C-alpha cells in the first residue's frame, strides 16, 4: 500500500458519505446525437459537441494531413522550439474570427483561465476584481492563485455589479470584471452590451469566457462578444466544444498577447499543442461561419425542450441556449432520475455540488445539432415517465 493511501481512502470515505463519489465510465461519440456506452447506443444529451464537428470528415482529414506533414508532437514549449508557422497562422485566423488584433492558443480552457488571470493581476497591483458568482471553477482557481480577493456580484445582476464597482472599485488603482457569456451549468447569457458599458463607465477591464458560445452564438458563430466589437479586453474560448477539437484561445490586443507570452506560466512551461490538434482547429474554422442552419436548429431544439420541461413542472432557469438545465433539487433525486433515463436509452448526466450550489442538483441537458425534434419529444416523454 502506498503511504498516501490511508489518507486518500479516508478522504474518499468522506466523499462517499456525502453522496458525491464520482467514477470514470468509458463512452464514445457517435453520429446523429448518439453516444456508445457499455455496448449500448444512447441518445446523448450530455456532450458538448454542439455542432457535431467532433466526427466531421473534414476535421478528421485535416488532423491526419497535418500529422502526416508535421508529426505527432510539437517537440517543446512555444518559447523553445514548439512554435511552428502553423501555430502563428492559426492564431492569426482566430484573431480575425474574433475581431481582435491577436490571439494565443492554450492547451485547454482550464489552463487558459488558471494561467492568464494571475498573470493579468500581476500587472495590475491592487486591482479590485469583480466576478459573477457562477463563473467557471478555472476562473476562481486563477484568482486564488493570484492571492486576490474577489467581489462577487449576484448571478447576471448587473445592478449589483454597478453598486460594487462604485463602492469597492472607486479607490482601486485598477478594476477587472470576469464573467462568462454563456454559463455552462445554466445555459443563460450575460448582457454583453451592458457589461461593456459598465466597464467603460468605471474604467474597468472586461474578461469574458466564451467557451460555450464560440461556434454556436453570434454572427457566424463568433460568440456573444461579437455583439460589442472592440469593447471586451480579453476573450477566452475553447475548441473542445462546438468546434469539435481540443484546446483554447485567448483573443485581445497585440500588447495583451505579447505580455501573456512573457508572463503566463501555464503557457510558458507547457509543451505546445501537436500538429493534429491544430489541423482539426483549422478545419473547424473553415466550417463554423457557414453553419447557420445548424445554429438555427439548435436554437429551435432549445425552445422545444424548455417548453416541454415547463409543461412537466420542471424549472429550467433562465436558459436561452443549447444548454438546458432541468433543476431537480436533491442530489439523490437527480442521480436517480439520470439513472432511470439511462435505463430508458438517454444519457442526461446529473450535476450536483460542488459543481452547482447545494439544493440545485440537476440534469444538464446539452443539445447537439444531430438531434431531431423527435429526440427531444422522446426525452421529455421519458422524463415524464421517470418522474
Amino acid at each position: 500500500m502506498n503511504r498516501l493511501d490511508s489518507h486518500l481512502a479516508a478522504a474518499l470515505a468522506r466523499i462517499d458519505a456525502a453522496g458525491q463519489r464520482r467514477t470514470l465510465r468509458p463512452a464514445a461519440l457517435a453520429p446523429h446525437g448518439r453516444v456508445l456506452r457499455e455496448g449500448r447506443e444512447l441518445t446523448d444529451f450530455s456532450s458538448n459537441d454542439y455542432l457535431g464537428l467532433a466526427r466531421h470528415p473534414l476535421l478528421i482529414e485535416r488532423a491526419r494531413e497535418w500529422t502526416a506533414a508535421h508529426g505527432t508532437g510539437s517537440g517543446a514549449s512555444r518559447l523553445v522550439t514548439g512554435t511552428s508557422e502553423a501555430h502563428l497562422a492559426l492564431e492569426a485566423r482566430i484573431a480575425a474570427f474574433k475581431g481582435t488584433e491577436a490571439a494565443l492558443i492554450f492547451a485547454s480552457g482550464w489552463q487558459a483561465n488558471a494561467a492568464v488571470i494571475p498573470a493579468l493581476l500581476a500587472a495590475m497591483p491592487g486591482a479590485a476584481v469583480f466576478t459573477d458568482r457562477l463563473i467557471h471553477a478555472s476562473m476562481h482557481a486563477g484568482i486564488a492563485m493570484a492571492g486576490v480577493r474577489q467581489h462577487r456580484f449576484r448571478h447576471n445582476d448587473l445592478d449589483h455589479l454597478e453598486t460594487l464597482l462604485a463602492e469597492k472599485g472607486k479607490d482601486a488603482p485598477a478594476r477587472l470584471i470576469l464573467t462568462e457569456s454563456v454559463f455552462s451549468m445554466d445555459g443563460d447569457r450575460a448582457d454583453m452590451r451592458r457589461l461593456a458599458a459598465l466597464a467603460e463607465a468605471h474604467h474597468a477591464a472586461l474578461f469574458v469566457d466564451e467557451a460555450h458560445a464560440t461556434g454556436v452564438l453570434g454572427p457566424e458563430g463568433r460568440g456573444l462578444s461579437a455583439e460589442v466589437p472592440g469593447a471586451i479586453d480579453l476573450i477566452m474560448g475553447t475548441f473542445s466544444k462546438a468546434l469539435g477539437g481540443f484546446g483554447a484561445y485567448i483573443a485581445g490586443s497585440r500588447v495583451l498577447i505579447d505580455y501573456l507570452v512573457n508572463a503566463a506560466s501555464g503557457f510558458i512551461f507547457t509543451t505546445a499543442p501537436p500538429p493534429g490538434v491544430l489541423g482539426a482547429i483549422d478545419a473547424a474554422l473553415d466550417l463554423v461561419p457557414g453553419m447557420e442552419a445548424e445554429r438555427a436548429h439548435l436554437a429551435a431544439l432549445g425552445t422545444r425542450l424548455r417548453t416541454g420541461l415547463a409543461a412537466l413542472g420542471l424549472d429550467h432557469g433562465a436558459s436561452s441556449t443549447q444548454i438546458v438545465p432541468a433543476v431537480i433539487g436533491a442530489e439523490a433525486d437527480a442521480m436517480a432520475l439520470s439513472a432511470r433515463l439511462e435505463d430508458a436509452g438517454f444519457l442526461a448526466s446529473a450535476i450536483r455540488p460542488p459543481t452547482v450550489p447545494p439544493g440545485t442538483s440537476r440534469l444538464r441537458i446539452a443539445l447537439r445539432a444531430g438531434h431531431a425534434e423527435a429526440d427531444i419529444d422522446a426525452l421529455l416523454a421519458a422524463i415524464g415517465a421517470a418522474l
Side-chain angles (χ1 to χ4, degrees):
M1 177 178 283
N2 188 297
R3 284 185 291 272
L4 290 171
D5 285 359
S6 62
H7 303 285
L8 303 180
L12 282 171
R14 292 191 291 271
I15 294 171
D16 275 328
Q20 295 177 356
R21 180 75 173 260
R22 291 160 168 80
T23 58
L24 298 175
R25 299 176 63 196
L29 291 178
H32 312 300
R34 268 51 180 178
V35 66
L36 303 177
R37 170 167 277 176
E38 297 169 352
R40 298 178 63 206
E41 183 178 84
L42 306 172
T43 307
D44 177 21
F45 289 103
S46 291
S47 302
N48 296 328
D49 183 28
Y50 302 131
L51 295 176
L53 291 181
R55 294 180 59 87
H56 194 285
L58 184 63
L59 273 71
I60 295 169
E61 182 58 31
R62 191 77 53 85
R64 183 182 293 123
E65 288 173 0
W66 285 37
T67 298
H70 306 292
T72 59
S74 57
S77 65
R78 292 284 301 275
L79 286 171
V80 183
T81 61
T83 294
S84 65
E85 292 293 340
H87 279 102
L88 299 176
L90 192 54
E91 285 166 345
R93 287 199 74 184
I94 296 160
F97 180 65
K98 296 301 293 183
T100 61
E101 291 179 353
L104 193 64
I105 295 171
F106 283 76
S108 74
W110 175 281
Q111 182 211 34
N113 281 338
V116 167
I117 291 169
L120 284 180
L121 291 172
M124 303 167 68
V129 178
F130 303 88
T131 62
D132 189 291
R133 285 189 177 275
L134 296 187
I135 56 171
H136 194 266
S138 58
M139 300 178 88
H140 288 302
I143 296 166
M145 280 188 262
V148 174
R149 179 189 176 191
Q150 15 177 339
H151 303 291
R152 300 188 187 188
F153 57 94
R154 291 183 292 271
H155 176 51
N156 270 343
D157 185 342
L158 300 190
D159 290 337
H160 189 207
L161 170 60
E162 186 170 24
T163 298
L164 289 176
L165 284 164
E167 292 179 353
K168 308 293 186 181
K170 179 181 58 171
D171 298 323
R175 286 147 295 280
L176 176 65
I177 302 168
L178 297 102
T179 190
E180 299 180 44
S181 60
V182 171
F183 288 84
S184 59
M185 292 297 124
D186 293 81
D188 54 349
R189 314 178 192 208
D191 184 340
M192 290 291 104
R193 289 184 174 84
R194 189 165 177 213
L195 277 165
L198 285 173
E200 177 71 21
H202 292 270
H203 306 287
L206 182 55
F207 183 134
V208 176
D209 180 328
E210 290 247 80
H212 293 273
T214 300
V216 177
L217 298 172
E220 298 185 327
R222 292 188 289 119
L224 295 182
S225 58
E227 295 178 352
V228 285
I232 297 172
D233 301 280
L234 188 154
I235 303 164
M236 193 286 286
T238 60
F239 307 115
S240 55
K241 299 174 179 66
L243 271 65
F246 186 73
Y249 64 85
I250 296 289
S253 70
R254 181 74 262 171
V255 172
L256 167 69
I257 299 307
D258 289 346
Y259 172 73
L260 293 178
V261 167
N262 286 275
S265 62
F267 174 84
I268 295 168
F269 300 109
T270 298
T271 299
V277 166
L278 302 182
I281 295 168
D282 188 65
L285 290 173
D286 285 346
L287 295 170
V288 163
M291 299 184 75
E292 290 301 330
E294 287 82 358
R295 285 187 278 273
H297 179 59
L298 274 179
L301 292 178
T303 299
R304 191 180 191 92
L305 177 57
R306 285 185 288 272
T307 299
L309 290 174
L312 291 171
L314 290 175
D315 178 16
H316 54 71
S319 166
S320 62
T321 66
Q322 76 282 0
I323 301 167
V324 184
V327 180
I328 306 301
E331 295 177 43
D333 292 342
M335 294 295 291
L337 177 56
S338 178
R340 288 195 290 272
L341 289 175
E342 185 167 344
D343 288 342
F346 301 90
L347 186 60
S349 296
I351 306 295
R352 48 197 166 137
T355 307
V356 294
T360 69
S361 292
R362 66 197 62 186
L363 303 181
R364 178 192 180 272
I365 302 171
L367 301 174
R368 294 170 57 185
H371 290 142
E373 289 183 352
D375 295 325
I376 304 301
D377 296 342
L379 174 65
L380 290 166
I383 292 173
L387 290 172

